[in-house]
Amino acid sequence: MSLLVVGSLGLDTVATPFNKVEDALGGSSTYISLSASYFSAPIHIIGVVGEDFPKNYLQMMESHNINLEGLQIVKGGKTFRWSGKYHYDLNSRDTLLTELNVFEKFNPVIPPALRQSKYICLGNIDPELQLKVLDQIENPYFVVCDTMNYWIERKRDALVKVLKRTDVLIINDSEARLFAHEPNLIKAAKFIRELGVKILIIKKGEHGALLFGEDMIFSSPAYPLEMIQDPTGAGDSFAGGFVGYIHKAQDISPDCLKRAVVYGSTMASFCVEQFSTKGLENLSYLRIQDRFRDFLTMSRFNDSE
Amino acid sequence: MSLLVVGSLGLDTVATPFNKVEDALGGSSTYISLSASYFSAPIHIIGVVGEDFPKNYLQMMESHNINLEGLQIVKGGKTFRWSGKYHYDLNSRDTLLTELNVFEKFNPVIPPALRQSKYICLGNIDPELQLKVLDQIENPYFVVCDTMNYWIERKRDALVKVLKRTDVLIINDSEARLFAHEPNLIKAAKFIRELGVKILIIKKGEHGALLFGEDMIFSSPAYPLEMIQDPTGAGDSFAGGFVGYIHKAQDISPDCLKRAVVYGSTMASFCVEQFSTKGLENLSYLRIQDRFRDFLTMSRFNDSE
């Protein structure tokens, strides 16, 4: 049973107070699939790039058992490009450029062999495309969905339709507040779950993540990093670690969902330690488990007197 | 062995989007001592009020085994008054009025019988006064200190002197960043601990709290409250629960410090559920323990596959 990842692939030009990279590998499905690749295989990407997309990026992904049969390479087309500049504290950024290019007319087509996929991760793309993907899947078992402010404001109705067919929505705290028009995060979470999504995960960057389920709230800390090189892709890496671990465990019990949140946080912490996808390219399951156990140590206390 | 609390007592006029109170009981030592009173006794307050300070406030504190022998009541004097208005999201506020009144010439005098106190909690007052208090204590065992932006900016040298004689500094995240001139909280914590304080606790409001010790970071979640009536005193209630629990346990092992952080978070969560000190006036140890266990449930996960 494969894991299907749908989202963008792109070339990112990113500046932080510390450094700058040009045309580096980016895109939601890139980070999601690389992150998930440490837990499960095979992973199938559905996406689109132009003919200018560097071959070595494709080779690197394939070396992580990421299957690219569902990747459309548009002849003569230009790949999606994004450029951003992070501010001093790395918590905010300015988008300097967004060139949709081949992504503008992206029409996700799921190859027949993948229409029976059970585990689906819908990266942050137009909710109408997310619906198109779901329409092509015969009987999905576990659907994880990401979105962003842009779609919450502009495609709310379509997004709500996606949520009703989604098991886990992963968004950040400002998106949750915007979605619910509610500053209190707990109330906002309640509102969003009532729209029909079973489980809601709210990412809070340096403050960790919260999971809201039926009669259940779980709080994961963030990994205490002294140096963050590049926050780009942290949220996607979280989603990849989360869904990759669930796919590996084939278990959606509360205990497993909690561990998956911590694995998501773990992968996000590796991601931001280097520019672009570099932090996700050379990990080992052992290193990931070591860091997972650091999360345990950091959050564990007992009630004995 | 008593617990000595030094800080302000005041009359607060507070408006939130939901309600307003006038001349309600306030002040750092008020919240600290009420919060600590659920764990340990006796608690001695060192502070100053005017003759206008309502007798029923004093009686309520005494009913919580708070000893007021060290409280100076200035004849004809007016009590410290503060007024603030919270914004829509309760995360920020405007100070509308600060009348120091009798607090302006506050000179903390520790009665001879209390100079052998071992457990000291220095509420948020001028660090020069905090030093004056420490100078009067013969051989303190465990000193907890609070401060704020105002003193970090204006009395940095005195504050650093206090820190060198402090076991635990409790501040919020924006204060930590300001203190260290560093946006990264982990680096900021390192910087502050290098100034000489053994343990640093950074409160992050709705995002919980972090404890930094020797080779140790502990992350406590915040209690998921859907309704916050009045954030005033949350930080002091945290400090009171923290130091009260340590005083009760007579134990400063890492395990005990972690529990104390969670008891601090627990007391802060009760505080903000009602205006002024109301949320701290009618609790039971049983209710406190129930909520403490909710924190356990909320943050516990395991690493079995």
Side-chain angles (χ1 to χ4, degrees):
Chain A
M1 240 184 328
S2 62
L3 170 60
L4 196 68
V5 176
V6 186
S8 60
L9 292 96
L11 299 174
D12 288 353
T13 295
V14 176
T16 75
F18 316 113
N19 213 335
K20 187 180 172 170
V21 287
E22 279 181 55
D23 284 347
L25 180 55
S28 59
S29 67
T30 314
Y31 284 102
I32 293 170
S33 57
L34 276 172
S35 178
S37 75
Y38 289 94
F39 301 92
S40 55
I43 293 164
H44 290 266
I45 278 191
I46 306 295
V48 64
V49 294
E51 220 178 338
D52 58 345
F53 195 73
K55 296 281 171 295
N56 58 323
Y57 291 168
L58 297 176
Q59 284 156 5
M60 186 277 289
M61 285 196 274
E62 281 175 330
S63 77
H64 280 84
N65 281 316
I66 297 168
N67 186 306
L68 302 175
E69 280 168 31
L71 181 66
Q72 305 164 29
I73 302 179
V74 179
K75 276 203 176 158
K78 267 190 86 182
T79 299
F80 169 64
R81 274 174 171 76
W82 176 81
S83 172
K85 186 184 160 119
Y86 287 88
H87 301 160
Y88 170 62
D89 68 358
L90 296 175
N91 282 326
S92 56
R93 69 183 184 195
D94 294 325
T95 290
L96 304 178
L97 172 128
T98 307
E99 275 182 16
L100 291 176
N101 299 328
V102 295
F103 201 64
E104 194 167 1
K105 295 191 176 164
F106 176 45
N107 180 27
V109 177
I110 315 297
L114 295 176
R115 291 190 187 160
Q116 294 184 15
S117 296
K118 294 294 172 198
Y119 291 79
I120 321 288
C121 189
L122 301 169
N124 168 28
I125 55 172
D126 187 334
E128 288 176 17
L129 295 185
Q130 292 177 326
L131 285 172
K132 267 195 182 172
V133 171
L134 291 178
D135 285 343
Q136 296 173 68
I137 308 294
E138 285 176 19
N139 188 19
Y141 173 68
F142 191 71
V143 177
V144 174
C145 169
D146 186 12
T147 191
M148 71 186 291
N149 286 358
Y150 188 87
W151 308 121
I152 292 170
E153 287 176 321
R154 286 170 184 78
K155 296 276 180 91
R156 194 183 178 87
D157 292 347
L159 184 55
V160 170
K161 280 185 200 161
V162 175
L163 291 196
K164 292 188 194 302
R165 299 164 73 177
T166 290
D167 296 276
V168 182
L169 173 68
I170 305 182
I171 52 179
N172 70 35
D173 48 352
S174 69
E175 288 158 355
R177 289 185 228 265
L178 175 74
F179 205 160
H181 302 296
E182 166 61 53
N184 180 294
L185 216 48
I186 313 303
K187 272 196 204 168
K190 205 172 179 177
F191 174 90
I192 295 167
R193 285 194 63 238
E194 281 167 1
L195 293 175
V197 65
K198 296 182 196 79
I199 291 158
L200 172 67
I201 296 174
I202 298 182
K203 297 165 290 177
K204 305 189 296 174
E206 62 169 343
H207 301 302
L210 294 170
L211 177 143
F212 298 85
E214 191 65 31
D215 297 323
M216 163 178 156
I217 297 183
F218 171 65
S219 170
S220 164
Y223 191 75
L225 287 173
E226 281 189 46
M227 189 61 194
I228 292 173
Q229 286 284 353
D230 176 9
T232 312
D236 299 317
S237 303
F238 180 100
F242 176 83
V243 74
Y245 180 73
I246 293 285
H247 182 244
K248 169 194 161 86
Q250 305 273 319
D251 176 2
I252 56 168
S253 67
D255 274 356
C256 194
L257 289 167
K258 289 177 183 182
R259 280 196 293 277
V261 167
V262 178
Y263 276 112
S265 304
T266 302
M267 298 311 290
S269 75
F270 283 120
C271 170
V272 302
E273 286 184 313
Q274 293 186 53
F275 268 84
S276 175
T277 54
K278 292 291 174 205
L280 299 179
E281 290 178 25
N282 297 300
L283 293 171
S284 68
Y285 197 61
L286 208 65
R287 269 189 77 197
I288 293 168
Q289 283 194 296
D290 272 353
R291 190 162 286 189
F292 177 90
R293 288 200 195 95
D294 289 341
F295 277 85
L296 258 183
T297 309
M298 202 167 47
S299 55
R300 185 163 278 183
F301 64 100
N302 58 55
D303 62 354
S304 65
E305 301 268 320
Chain B
M1 237 182 330
S2 62
L3 170 60
L4 197 67
V5 176
V6 187
S8 60
L9 293 95
L11 298 174
D12 288 353
T13 295
V14 176
T16 75
F18 316 112
N19 212 335
K20 187 179 171 170
V21 289
E22 279 183 53
D23 283 349
L25 180 55
S28 60
S29 67
T30 314
Y31 284 102
I32 294 170
S33 57
L34 275 172
S35 178
S37 75
Y38 289 94
F39 301 92
S40 56
I43 294 164
H44 290 266
I45 278 192
I46 307 294
V48 64
V49 293
E51 220 178 339
D52 58 345
F53 195 74
K55 296 282 172 294
N56 59 323
Y57 290 168
L58 298 175
Q59 284 156 4
M60 185 277 289
M61 285 196 273
E62 281 176 331
S63 76
H64 280 86
N65 281 317
I66 298 169
N67 186 306
L68 302 175
E69 280 167 32
L71 181 66
Q72 306 164 30
I73 302 179
V74 180
K75 277 204 176 156
K78 267 189 88 181
T79 299
F80 169 64
R81 273 173 173 77
W82 176 81
S83 174
K85 186 184 158 115
Y86 287 88
H87 301 159
Y88 169 63
D89 67 358
L90 295 174
N91 281 327
S92 57
R93 69 184 185 193
D94 294 325
T95 289
L96 303 178
L97 173 130
T98 306
E99 275 182 17
L100 290 177
N101 298 328
V102 295
F103 201 66
E104 192 167 2
K105 294 191 174 163
F106 176 46
N107 181 26
V109 177
I110 314 297
L114 295 176
R115 291 189 186 158
Q116 294 183 16
S117 298
K118 294 293 173 200
Y119 290 79
I120 322 287
C121 188
L122 301 169
N124 167 28
I125 55 173
D126 186 335
E128 287 176 17
L129 295 185
Q130 292 176 327
L131 285 172
K132 266 194 182 172
V133 171
L134 291 177
D135 285 343
Q136 295 172 69
I137 308 293
E138 285 176 16
N139 189 19
Y141 173 67
F142 190 73
V143 178
V144 174
C145 170
D146 186 12
T147 192
M148 71 187 291
N149 286 358
Y150 188 88
W151 308 122
I152 292 170
E153 287 176 322
R154 285 169 185 79
K155 296 277 180 90
R156 193 183 178 88
D157 293 348
L159 184 55
V160 170
K161 279 185 199 161
V162 175
L163 290 196
K164 292 188 193 303
R165 299 164 72 177
T166 291
D167 296 275
V168 182
L169 174 67
I170 305 181
I171 52 179
N172 69 36
D173 48 352
S174 68
E175 289 158 355
R177 291 186 226 264
L178 175 74
F179 205 161
H181 302 295
E182 167 60 53
N184 181 294
L185 217 47
I186 312 303
K187 271 195 203 167
K190 203 171 181 179
F191 175 91
I192 294 167
R193 285 194 62 239
E194 281 168 1
L195 293 176
V197 65
K198 296 181 197 80
I199 290 158
L200 172 66
I201 295 173
I202 298 182
K203 297 165 291 177
K204 304 189 294 175
E206 61 168 343
H207 301 303
L210 293 170
L211 178 144
F212 298 86
E214 192 66 31
D215 297 322
M216 163 178 154
I217 298 184
F218 171 64
S219 170
S220 164
Y223 191 73
L225 287 174
E226 279 189 46
M227 188 62 195
I228 292 173
Q229 285 285 352
D230 176 9
T232 312
D236 300 315
S237 304
F238 180 100
F242 176 83
V243 73
Y245 179 74
I246 292 286
H247 182 242
K248 169 194 162 88
Q250 304 273 321
D251 176 2
I252 55 168
S253 67
D255 275 354
C256 194
L257 289 167
K258 289 177 183 182
R259 280 196 292 276
V261 168
V262 179
Y263 276 113
S265 303
T266 302
M267 298 311 289
S269 75
F270 283 120
C271 170
V272 301
E273 285 185 313
Q274 295 186 52
F275 268 84
S276 176
T277 55
K278 292 292 174 203
L280 299 178
E281 290 179 25
N282 297 299
L283 293 171
S284 68
Y285 198 60
L286 207 65
R287 269 190 77 197
I288 293 168
Q289 283 193 296
D290 273 353
R291 190 163 287 189
F292 177 90
R293 287 199 198 97
D294 289 342
F295 277 85
L296 260 182
T297 308
M298 202 167 46
S299 54
R300 186 162 278 182
F301 64 98
N302 58 56
D303 62 354
S304 66
E305 302 268 321

